[in-house]
Amino acid sequence: MKIYSKLDKNLLLHQINRFEDICNRTDLCPSNEFIQCATLKMDKGKTFKPHKHIEKSRKYDNKIAQESWVVIQGKVKVFFYDIDDTVIETYILEKGDASFTFRGGHNYLILEDDTIVYEYKTGPYEGQEIDKEFIK
């Protein structure tokens, strides 16, 4: 499910992928976003050609640290914020669910003890002073 700004209807801010929606190979994130993710649901014996990725020079005018959470165990309530720092959506993420924040803000509330989450960010991540602004 894709969540767009209420202020700019064409601006994709956040996205959620539910575990039960995973089938085959699906590229989840739009190709123009810094963070990329695909789901792969495969049967025994499936393989692909061995490969490596090529190092290349890249230049982007506007860089932003984008973030994703994948819930491994437990439950998390996610709060998504619009570009004006107002909450636009809240969801409960469960085991196997993933969230993506391309722009706008987010916050998480852990709902169960021993919740385990993988957090991914685009990098290089240069720390809070450079890459974060806290919402009041």
Side-chain angles (χ1 to χ4, degrees):
M1 100 190 42
K2 295 182 178 184
I3 300 142
Y4 290 86
S5 170
K6 291 184 180 178
L7 303 173
D8 180 348
K9 304 288 185 196
N10 296 317
L11 188 61
L12 178 61
L13 302 178
H14 311 280
Q15 186 169 319
I16 290 177
N17 190 72
R18 299 287 186 189
F19 179 77
E20 64 265 13
D21 294 335
I22 297 173
C23 63
N24 303 317
R25 180 191 166 97
T26 304
D27 292 326
L28 299 178
C29 302
S31 61
N32 63 318
E33 296 296 349
F34 293 106
I35 198 164
Q36 294 292 304
C37 182
T39 57
L40 301 129
K41 184 176 183 180
M42 299 176 283
D43 293 328
K44 182 178 178 178
K46 177 73 174 169
T47 189
F48 50 86
K49 290 182 183 180
H51 67 281
K52 60 184 177 181
H53 295 269
I54 301 166
E55 193 170 310
K56 57 187 172 183
S57 177
R58 299 176 186 201
K59 182 180 178 195
Y60 301 101
D61 292 331
N62 296 313
K63 299 177 184 99
I64 187 170
Q66 296 180 332
E67 188 170 298
S68 175
W69 272 37
V70 179
V71 179
I72 304 304
Q73 171 178 295
K75 288 186 182 179
V76 177
K77 185 173 187 178
V78 61
F79 301 84
F80 289 134
Y81 293 79
D82 207 329
I83 54 177
D84 65 353
D85 297 342
T86 60
V87 174
I88 56 171
E89 298 283 351
T90 61
Y91 293 94
I92 305 294
L93 302 179
E94 299 184 15
K95 182 178 180 177
D97 293 344
S99 71
F100 302 89
T101 292
F102 304 114
R103 56 200 53 78
H106 58 222
N107 188 19
Y108 300 96
L109 175 64
I110 304 303
L111 299 177
E112 295 182 354
D113 288 340
D114 299 320
T115 291
I116 298 172
V117 174
Y118 285 130
E119 177 185 270
Y120 300 90
K121 282 187 187 75
T122 53
Y125 180 69
E126 299 179 285
Q128 286 186 3
E129 299 79 27
I130 294 173
D131 284 340
K132 276 189 185 177
E133 179 180 316
F134 292 101
I135 297 171
K136 297 176 181 156

